[in-house]
Coordinates of all heavy atoms in Angstrom, one line a residue:
M13 N 52.7 -41.5 19.5 CA 52.9 -40.2 18.9 C 54.4 -39.8 19.2 O 54.9 -40.1 20.3 CB 52.0 -39.2 19.6 CG 52.0 -37.8 19.0 SD 50.9 -36.6 19.8 CE 49.4 -37.0 18.9
C14 N 55.1 -39.2 18.3 CA 56.5 -38.8 18.5 C 56.5 -37.7 19.5 O 55.6 -37.0 19.8 CB 57.1 -38.3 17.2 SG 56.4 -36.8 16.5
P15 N 57.7 -37.6 20.2 CA 57.8 -36.6 21.3 C 57.5 -35.2 20.8 O 56.9 -34.4 21.5 CB 59.2 -36.8 21.8 CG 59.7 -38.1 21.4 CD 58.9 -38.4 20.1
D16 N 58.1 -34.8 19.6 CA 57.8 -33.5 19.1 C 56.4 -33.3 18.8 O 55.8 -32.2 18.9 CB 58.7 -33.2 17.9 CG 60.2 -33.0 18.3 OD1 60.5 -32.8 19.5 OD2 61.0 -33.2 17.4
C17 N 55.7 -34.3 18.3 CA 54.3 -34.2 17.9 C 53.5 -33.9 19.2 O 52.6 -33.1 19.2 CB 53.8 -35.5 17.3 SG 54.6 -35.9 15.7
E18 N 53.8 -34.6 20.3 CA 53.1 -34.4 21.5 C 53.3 -33.0 22.1 O 52.3 -32.3 22.5 CB 53.5 -35.4 22.5 CG 52.7 -35.4 23.8 CD 53.1 -36.6 24.7 OE1 53.6 -37.6 24.3 OE2 52.9 -36.4 26.0
D19 N 54.5 -32.5 22.0 CA 54.8 -31.2 22.5 C 54.1 -30.1 21.7 O 53.5 -29.2 22.2 CB 56.3 -30.9 22.5 CG 57.1 -31.6 23.6 OD1 56.4 -32.1 24.5 OD2 58.3 -31.7 23.5
F20 N 54.1 -30.3 20.3 CA 53.5 -29.4 19.4 C 52.0 -29.3 19.7 O 51.4 -28.3 19.8 CB 53.8 -29.8 18.0 CG 53.2 -28.8 17.0 CD1 54.0 -27.7 16.6 CD2 52.0 -29.0 16.3 CE1 53.5 -26.8 15.7 CE2 51.5 -28.2 15.4 CZ 52.3 -27.0 15.1
A21 N 51.4 -30.5 19.8 CA 49.9 -30.6 20.0 C 49.5 -29.9 21.4 O 48.6 -29.2 21.4 CB 49.5 -32.0 19.9
R22 N 50.3 -30.2 22.4 CA 50.0 -29.7 23.7 C 50.1 -28.1 23.7 O 49.3 -27.4 24.3 CB 50.9 -30.3 24.8 CG 50.6 -29.8 26.2 CD 51.6 -30.4 27.2 NE 51.8 -31.8 27.1 CZ 53.0 -32.4 26.9 NH1 54.0 -31.6 26.7 NH2 53.1 -33.7 26.8
T23 N 51.2 -27.6 23.1 CA 51.4 -26.2 23.0 C 50.3 -25.5 22.2 O 49.8 -24.4 22.6 CB 52.8 -25.8 22.4 OG1 53.8 -26.5 23.2 CG2 53.1 -24.4 22.5
V24 N 49.9 -26.1 21.1 CA 48.8 -25.5 20.3 C 47.5 -25.5 21.1 O 46.7 -24.5 21.1 CB 48.6 -26.3 19.0 CG1 47.3 -25.9 18.3 CG2 49.8 -26.1 18.1
V25 N 47.2 -26.6 21.9 CA 46.0 -26.6 22.7 C 46.1 -25.5 23.8 O 45.1 -24.8 24.0 CB 45.8 -28.0 23.4 CG1 44.8 -27.9 24.5 CG2 45.5 -29.0 22.4
L26 N 47.2 -25.3 24.4 CA 47.4 -24.2 25.4 C 47.2 -22.8 24.8 O 46.6 -22.0 25.4 CB 48.8 -24.3 26.1 CG 49.0 -25.5 27.0 CD1 50.4 -25.6 27.4 CD2 48.1 -25.3 28.3
L27 N 47.7 -22.6 23.6 CA 47.5 -21.4 22.9 C 46.0 -21.1 22.6 O 45.5 -20.0 22.8 CB 48.3 -21.3 21.6 CG 49.8 -21.0 21.7 CD1 50.5 -21.3 20.5 CD2 50.0 -19.5 22.1
G28 N 45.3 -22.2 22.2 CA 43.9 -22.1 22.0 C 43.1 -21.8 23.3 O 42.2 -20.9 23.3
Q29 N 43.5 -22.4 24.4 CA 42.8 -22.1 25.7 C 43.1 -20.7 26.1 O 42.3 -20.0 26.7 CB 43.3 -23.1 26.7 CG 42.7 -24.5 26.5 CD 43.3 -25.5 27.4 OE1 44.4 -25.4 28.0 NE2 42.6 -26.6 27.6
L30 N 44.3 -20.2 25.8 CA 44.7 -18.8 26.2 C 43.9 -17.9 25.4 O 43.4 -16.8 25.9 CB 46.2 -18.6 26.0 CG 46.7 -17.2 26.4 CD1 46.6 -17.0 27.9 CD2 48.1 -17.1 25.9
A31 N 43.6 -18.2 24.1 CA 42.8 -17.3 23.2 C 41.4 -17.2 23.8 O 40.8 -16.2 23.8 CB 42.8 -17.8 21.8
L32 N 40.9 -18.4 24.2 CA 39.5 -18.4 24.8 C 39.5 -17.5 26.1 O 38.5 -16.8 26.3 CB 39.0 -19.8 25.1 CG 38.7 -20.7 23.9 CD1 38.5 -22.1 24.3 CD2 37.6 -20.1 23.1
Y33 N 40.5 -17.7 26.9 CA 40.6 -16.9 28.1 C 40.7 -15.4 27.8 O 40.0 -14.6 28.5 CB 41.8 -17.3 29.0 CG 42.1 -16.4 30.1 CD1 41.3 -16.4 31.3 CD2 43.1 -15.5 30.1 CE1 41.5 -15.5 32.3 CE2 43.4 -14.7 31.2 CZ 42.6 -14.7 32.3 OH 42.8 -13.8 33.3
A34 N 41.5 -15.0 26.8 CA 41.7 -13.6 26.4 C 40.4 -13.0 26.0 O 40.2 -11.8 26.1 CB 42.7 -13.5 25.3
D35 N 39.4 -13.8 25.5 CA 38.1 -13.2 25.1 C 37.2 -12.9 26.2 O 36.2 -12.2 26.0 CB 37.4 -14.2 24.1 CG 37.6 -13.9 22.7 OD1 38.2 -12.8 22.4 OD2 37.1 -14.6 21.8
R36 N 37.5 -13.4 27.4 CA 36.6 -13.1 28.6 C 36.7 -11.7 29.0 O 37.8 -11.0 28.8 CB 37.0 -14.0 29.7 CG 36.8 -15.5 29.5 CD 37.4 -16.3 30.6 NE 37.1 -15.8 31.9 CZ 37.0 -16.5 33.0 NH1 37.1 -17.8 32.9 NH2 36.8 -16.0 34.2
S37 N 35.7 -11.1 29.5 CA 35.7 -9.7 30.0 C 36.6 -9.5 31.2 O 37.0 -8.4 31.4 CB 34.2 -9.3 30.3 OG 33.7 -10.0 31.3
D38 N 36.8 -10.5 32.0 CA 37.6 -10.4 33.2 C 39.1 -10.9 33.0 O 39.8 -11.1 33.9 CB 37.0 -11.1 34.4 CG 36.8 -12.6 34.2 OD1 36.9 -13.0 33.0 OD2 36.7 -13.3 35.2
A39 N 39.5 -11.1 31.7 CA 40.8 -11.6 31.4 C 41.9 -10.6 31.8 O 41.7 -9.4 31.7 CB 41.0 -11.9 29.9
D40 N 43.0 -11.1 32.3 CA 44.1 -10.2 32.7 C 45.0 -10.1 31.4 O 45.7 -11.0 31.0 CB 44.9 -10.9 33.8 CG 46.1 -10.2 34.2 OD1 46.6 -9.2 33.6 OD2 46.7 -10.5 35.3
A41 N 45.0 -8.9 30.8 CA 45.7 -8.7 29.5 C 47.2 -8.8 29.7 O 47.9 -9.3 28.8 CB 45.4 -7.3 29.0
T42 N 47.7 -8.4 30.8 CA 49.2 -8.6 31.0 C 49.6 -10.1 31.0 O 50.6 -10.4 30.5 CB 49.6 -7.9 32.4 OG1 49.2 -6.6 32.3 CG2 51.1 -8.0 32.6
F43 N 48.8 -10.9 31.7 CA 49.0 -12.3 31.7 C 48.9 -12.9 30.3 O 49.8 -13.7 29.9 CB 48.0 -13.0 32.6 CG 48.0 -14.5 32.6 CD1 49.0 -15.2 33.3 CD2 47.1 -15.2 31.8 CE1 49.0 -16.6 33.3 CE2 47.2 -16.6 31.8 CZ 48.1 -17.3 32.5
V44 N 47.9 -12.5 29.6 CA 47.7 -13.0 28.2 C 48.9 -12.7 27.3 O 49.4 -13.5 26.6 CB 46.4 -12.5 27.6 CG1 46.3 -12.9 26.1 CG2 45.2 -13.1 28.4
D45 N 49.4 -11.4 27.4 CA 50.5 -11.0 26.6 C 51.8 -11.8 27.0 O 52.5 -12.2 26.1 CB 50.8 -9.5 26.8 CG 49.7 -8.6 26.2 OD1 48.9 -9.2 25.3 OD2 49.6 -7.4 26.5
A46 N 52.0 -11.9 28.3 CA 53.3 -12.6 28.7 C 53.2 -14.1 28.4 O 54.2 -14.6 27.8 CB 53.5 -12.4 30.2
V47 N 52.1 -14.7 28.7 CA 52.0 -16.2 28.4 C 51.9 -16.5 26.9 O 52.5 -17.4 26.5 CB 50.9 -16.8 29.2 CG1 50.7 -18.2 28.9 CG2 51.1 -16.6 30.7
G48 N 51.2 -15.7 26.2 CA 51.1 -15.9 24.8 C 52.4 -15.9 24.0 O 52.7 -16.8 23.2
V49 N 53.2 -14.9 24.3 CA 54.5 -14.8 23.7 C 55.4 -16.0 24.1 O 56.1 -16.6 23.3 CB 55.2 -13.5 24.1 CG1 56.7 -13.4 23.7 CG2 54.4 -12.3 23.5
S50 N 55.4 -16.3 25.4 CA 56.2 -17.5 25.9 C 55.7 -18.8 25.2 O 56.6 -19.6 24.8 CB 56.0 -17.6 27.4 OG 56.5 -16.5 28.0
L51 N 54.4 -19.0 25.1 CA 54.0 -20.2 24.5 C 54.3 -20.3 23.0 O 54.8 -21.3 22.5 CB 52.5 -20.4 24.6 CG 51.9 -20.9 26.0 CD1 50.4 -20.8 26.0 CD2 52.4 -22.3 26.2
A52 N 54.1 -19.2 22.3 CA 54.5 -19.1 20.9 C 56.0 -19.3 20.7 O 56.4 -20.1 19.7 CB 54.1 -17.8 20.3
A53 N 56.8 -18.8 21.5 CA 58.2 -19.0 21.4 C 58.7 -20.4 21.7 O 59.7 -20.9 21.2 CB 59.0 -18.0 22.3
S54 N 57.9 -21.1 22.5 CA 58.2 -22.5 22.9 C 57.7 -23.5 21.9 O 58.0 -24.7 22.1 CB 57.7 -22.8 24.3 OG 56.3 -23.0 24.2
L55 N 57.0 -23.1 20.9 CA 56.5 -24.1 19.9 C 57.7 -24.8 19.2 O 58.6 -24.1 18.7 CB 55.7 -23.4 18.8 CG 54.2 -23.3 19.0 CD1 53.6 -22.4 17.9 CD2 53.5 -24.6 19.1
P56 N 57.7 -26.1 19.3 CA 58.8 -26.8 18.6 C 58.5 -26.8 17.1 O 57.4 -26.3 16.6 CB 58.7 -28.2 19.1 CG 57.2 -28.4 19.5 CD 56.8 -27.0 20.0
E57 N 59.4 -27.3 16.3 CA 59.2 -27.4 14.8 C 58.0 -28.3 14.6 O 57.8 -29.3 15.3 CB 60.4 -28.0 14.2 CG 61.6 -27.1 14.0 CD 61.3 -26.0 13.1 OE1 60.8 -26.2 12.0 OE2 61.7 -24.9 13.4
P58 N 57.1 -27.9 13.7 CA 55.9 -28.7 13.5 C 56.3 -30.1 13.0 O 57.3 -30.3 12.3 CB 55.1 -28.0 12.4 CG 55.9 -26.8 12.1 CD 57.2 -26.7 12.9
P59 N 55.6 -31.1 13.5 CA 55.9 -32.5 13.0 C 55.6 -32.7 11.5 O 54.8 -31.9 11.0 CB 55.0 -33.3 13.9 CG 54.0 -32.4 14.5 CD 54.5 -31.0 14.4
P60 N 56.3 -33.6 10.9 CA 56.0 -33.9 9.5 C 54.6 -34.1 9.2 O 53.9 -34.8 10.0 CB 56.9 -35.1 9.2 CG 57.8 -35.2 10.4 CD 57.2 -34.5 11.5
G61 N 54.1 -33.6 8.1 CA 52.7 -33.9 7.7 C 51.8 -32.8 8.1 O 50.6 -32.7 7.7
I62 N 52.2 -31.8 8.9 CA 51.3 -30.7 9.4 C 51.1 -29.8 8.2 O 50.0 -29.3 7.9 CB 51.9 -29.9 10.5 CG1 52.0 -30.8 11.8 CG2 51.1 -28.7 10.8 CD1 50.6 -31.1 12.4
F63 N 52.1 -29.5 7.4 CA 52.1 -28.6 6.3 C 52.3 -29.4 5.0 O 53.0 -30.4 5.0 CB 53.1 -27.5 6.4 CG 52.9 -26.6 7.5 CD1 53.8 -26.6 8.6 CD2 51.8 -25.7 7.6 CE1 53.7 -25.7 9.7 CE2 51.6 -24.9 8.7 CZ 52.6 -24.9 9.7
P64 N 51.7 -29.0 3.9 CA 51.9 -29.8 2.6 C 53.3 -29.7 2.2 O 54.0 -28.8 2.5 CB 50.9 -29.0 1.7 CG 50.6 -27.7 2.2 CD 50.8 -27.8 3.7
P65 N 53.7 -30.7 1.3 CA 55.1 -30.7 0.8 C 55.4 -29.4 0.1 O 54.5 -28.9 -0.7 CB 55.1 -31.9 -0.1 CG 54.0 -32.7 0.3 CD 52.9 -31.8 0.9
G66 N 56.6 -28.8 0.3 CA 57.0 -27.6 -0.4 C 56.4 -26.3 0.2 O 56.7 -25.3 -0.3
Y67 N 55.7 -26.4 1.3 CA 55.2 -25.2 2.0 C 56.3 -24.4 2.5 O 57.2 -24.8 3.2 CB 54.2 -25.7 3.1 CG 53.7 -24.5 3.9 CD1 52.7 -23.7 3.4 CD2 54.2 -24.2 5.2 CE1 52.2 -22.6 4.1 CE2 53.8 -23.1 5.9 CZ 52.8 -22.3 5.4 OH 52.3 -21.2 6.1
D68 N 56.2 -23.1 2.2 CA 57.2 -22.1 2.7 C 56.4 -21.0 3.4 O 55.7 -20.3 2.8 CB 58.0 -21.6 1.6 CG 59.1 -20.6 2.0 OD1 59.2 -20.4 3.2 OD2 59.7 -20.0 1.1
P69 N 56.6 -21.0 4.8 CA 55.8 -20.0 5.5 C 56.2 -18.5 5.2 O 55.5 -17.6 5.5 CB 56.1 -20.3 7.0 CG 57.4 -21.1 7.0 CD 57.4 -21.8 5.6
D70 N 57.4 -18.4 4.6 CA 57.8 -17.0 4.2 C 57.4 -16.6 2.8 O 57.6 -15.5 2.4 CB 59.4 -16.9 4.3 CG 59.9 -17.0 5.7 OD1 59.2 -16.6 6.6 OD2 60.9 -17.7 5.9
D71 N 56.8 -17.6 2.1 CA 56.3 -17.3 0.8 C 54.8 -16.8 0.9 O 54.0 -17.4 1.6 CB 56.3 -18.6 -0.1 CG 56.0 -18.3 -1.5 OD1 56.2 -17.2 -2.0 OD2 55.5 -19.2 -2.2
G72 N 54.5 -15.8 0.2 CA 53.1 -15.3 0.2 C 53.1 -13.8 -0.3 O 54.1 -13.3 -0.7
P73 N 52.0 -13.2 -0.1 CA 51.9 -11.8 -0.7 C 52.7 -10.8 0.2 O 52.9 -11.1 1.4 CB 50.4 -11.5 -0.6 CG 49.9 -12.4 0.6 CD 50.7 -13.7 0.5
D74 N 53.1 -9.8 -0.5 CA 53.7 -8.7 0.3 C 52.6 -7.9 0.9 O 51.5 -7.6 0.3 CB 54.5 -7.8 -0.7 CG 55.7 -8.5 -1.2 OD1 56.3 -9.3 -0.5 OD2 56.0 -8.3 -2.4
Y75 N 52.8 -7.5 2.2 CA 51.8 -6.8 2.9 C 52.1 -5.3 2.8 O 53.2 -4.9 2.6 CB 51.7 -7.2 4.4 CG 51.2 -8.6 4.5 CD1 52.1 -9.7 4.6 CD2 49.9 -8.9 4.6 CE1 51.6 -11.0 4.7 CE2 49.4 -10.2 4.7 CZ 50.3 -11.2 4.8 OH 49.8 -12.5 4.9
P76 N 51.0 -4.5 2.9 CA 51.3 -3.0 2.8 C 52.4 -2.6 3.8 O 52.4 -3.0 4.9 CB 49.9 -2.4 3.2 CG 48.9 -3.5 2.9 CD 49.7 -4.8 3.2
G77 N 53.3 -1.8 3.3 CA 54.4 -1.3 4.1 C 55.6 -2.2 4.1 O 56.7 -1.8 4.6
E78 N 55.5 -3.4 3.5 CA 56.7 -4.3 3.4 C 57.4 -4.1 2.2 O 56.8 -3.7 1.1 CB 56.2 -5.8 3.5 CG 55.9 -6.3 4.8 CD 55.7 -7.8 4.7 OE1 55.7 -8.4 3.6 OE2 55.5 -8.4 5.8
T79 N 58.7 -4.3 2.2 CA 59.5 -4.2 1.0 C 59.4 -5.5 0.3 O 59.4 -6.6 0.9 CB 61.0 -3.8 1.3 OG1 61.5 -4.8 2.2 CG2 61.1 -2.5 1.9
P80 N 59.3 -5.5 -1.0 CA 59.2 -6.8 -1.8 C 60.4 -7.7 -1.5 O 61.6 -7.1 -1.4 CB 59.1 -6.4 -3.2 CG 58.7 -5.0 -3.2 CD 59.2 -4.4 -1.9
R81 N 60.2 -9.0 -1.5 CA 61.4 -9.9 -1.3 C 62.1 -10.2 -2.6 O 61.7 -10.0 -3.7 CB 60.8 -11.2 -0.8 CG 60.4 -11.1 0.6 CD 59.7 -12.4 1.0 NE 58.3 -12.0 1.1 CZ 57.4 -12.7 1.6 NH1 57.6 -13.9 2.0 NH2 56.2 -12.2 1.7

């Protein structure tokens, strides 16, 4: 597995585990907020093949309150 692929997969797993922890009744919300933002910010570029060719994450519907692109 390429180095970026391994980092991406590990970070996604950690985000999933954090989401499971956040669902617990005894979860520390401050911890979840701090770690979730840090993990999301540390995601490397997705490895090739994760998204279909031509995929643009900024392309999509306008949400209420957004100005049209």
Side-chain angles (χ1 to χ4, degrees):
M13 184 181 278
C14 67
D16 287 342
C17 297
E18 188 177 334
D19 288 346
F20 184 82
R22 185 181 311 118
T23 305
V24 169
V25 167
L26 287 170
L27 280 166
Q29 290 174 336
L30 183 65
L32 290 173
Y33 170 74
D35 260 356
R36 294 172 43 150
S37 62
D38 61 341
D40 180 347
T42 304
F43 173 80
V44 171
D45 290 344
V47 173
V49 170
S50 298
L51 281 173
S54 73
L55 270 173
E57 286 293 316
I62 295 289
F63 297 112
Y67 175 77
D68 181 5
D70 294 325
D71 187 28
D74 292 324
Y75 292 95
E78 282 188 353
T79 55
R81 287 172 252 189

